[in-house]
């Protein structure tokens, strides 16, 4: 099952990535373009490998770095309670 954004989040795309507003506590979270891309792929049903492949297509990174970044973003968003499994 793919992660999904917590239902109390509002998102807005900006030229700098994506901003998340957690309506539970009023906190804002800024995702840079690569983190925003990872989040979008995962929450639209993509898996870890698909998110890494999308990063490879969009940015000049190697596969190991892309996989690490996917894991890091998912871990951080989950720990903050912004995504749920």
């Amino acid at each position: 099952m793919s992660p999904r954004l917590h239902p109390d989040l509002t998102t807005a795309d900006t030229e700098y990535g994506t901003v998340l507003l957690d309506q539970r506590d009023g906190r804002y979270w800024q995702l840079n373009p690569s983190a925003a891309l990872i989040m979008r792929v995962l929450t639209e049903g993509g898996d870890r490998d698909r998110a890494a492949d999308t990063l490879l297509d969009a940015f000049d990174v190697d596969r190991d770095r892309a996989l690490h970044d996917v894991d890091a973003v998912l871990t951080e968003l989950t720990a903050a309670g912004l995504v749920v499994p």
Side-chain angles (χ1 to χ4, degrees), residues 13-71:
D13 292 330
T14 71
E15 64 183 291
Y16 305 109
T18 299
V19 175
L20 307 174
L21 169 61
D22 188 341
Q23 297 178 35
R24 297 169 292 182
D25 61 10
R27 292 179 68 186
Y28 283 93
W29 300 80
Q30 173 71 46
L31 303 180
N32 66 23
S34 59
L37 182 60
I38 291 167
M39 180 199 68
R40 189 169 298 114
V41 170
L42 293 175
T43 58
E44 290 177 356
D47 62 9
R48 177 180 185 252
D49 287 326
R50 181 173 223 174
D53 290 342
T54 303
L55 280 181
L56 290 171
D57 290 342
F59 299 97
D60 184 24
V61 296
D62 63 42
R63 183 151 184 81
D64 288 339
R65 181 74 222 181
L67 289 168
H68 174 270
D69 289 352
V70 170
D71 292 341

Side-chain angles (χ1 to χ4, degrees), residues 69-81:
D69 289 352
V70 170
D71 292 341
V73 168
L74 185 56
T75 297
E76 298 255 343
L77 293 176
T78 302

